[in-house]
Amino acid sequence: MEPSPALDLATARQTLDSQPFSKLLGARLTSFGDGGATLEVDIREELHQQNGFLHGGVLAYAADNALTFAAGAVLGPYVLTGGFSVQYLRPATGRTLRARAEVVHAGRRQAVVRCDLLTLGEDGAETLCAVAQGTVLPVQAP
């Protein structure tokens, strides 16, 4: 899959940085292109739920954005999430959440994308805590 010439890592990062909620969470794109994207969020106390684990909403946010950016690498810069599901496998703990998404199939009308949600421990080891899959749709430029 070839990345759209209109959307490269620098442009994708500018797009993410223009989202107030993404800025609030401190999200960053660490890779983008060739039908894939990786988004990271540092895990901090204010993102925890009552039992001390990363809140499921933060995982869902990361999946949603990683899925959409991965699809944008194939469909172009004007895309929206059509829908997605998340399966939580274990409580998310660690220092960083990493959402690694990859396009499974892309056509003219939609892309199907999957995403692994991993936490990184202090030693850098990855632990899979959730998986997501969704569809992303191309839309008209504003």
Side-chain angles (χ1 to χ4, degrees):
M1 292 177 224
E2 292 297 316
S4 169
L7 195 57
D8 59 11
L9 179 59
T11 306
R13 283 179 171 158
Q14 288 175 347
T15 301
L16 182 69
D17 290 344
S18 73
Q19 299 174 0
F21 189 66
S22 293
K23 287 176 75 169
L24 177 69
L25 292 178
R28 60 192 174 276
L29 277 174
T30 58
S31 71
F32 173 84
D34 198 28
T38 302
L39 181 138
E40 293 184 356
V41 175
D42 291 331
I43 297 173
R44 49 192 204 275
E45 188 175 342
E46 60 267 25
L47 301 180
H48 288 176
Q49 44 87 297
Q50 72 280 4
N51 295 314
F53 305 125
L54 185 62
H55 194 284
V58 178
L59 284 106
Y61 155 83
D64 180 17
N65 264 288
L67 293 166
T68 305
F69 275 101
V74 175
L75 298 176
Y78 302 108
V79 293
L80 291 174
T81 304
F84 71 99
S85 65
V86 179
Q87 301 300 312
Y88 299 99
L89 306 175
R90 66 180 43 88
T93 61
R95 63 176 173 82
T96 304
L97 172 66
R98 177 176 288 159
R100 186 181 301 134
E102 181 179 344
V103 173
V104 175
H105 175 77
R108 289 191 336 246
R109 295 183 185 190
Q110 71 177 11
V112 176
V113 187
R114 72 173 158 238
C115 180
D116 288 340
L117 295 141
L118 310 120
T119 55
L120 286 96
E122 294 301 325
D123 61 357
E126 292 182 334
T127 301
L128 183 67
C129 57
V131 293
Q133 181 170 302
T135 56
V136 179
L137 314 171
V139 296
Q140 294 287 330

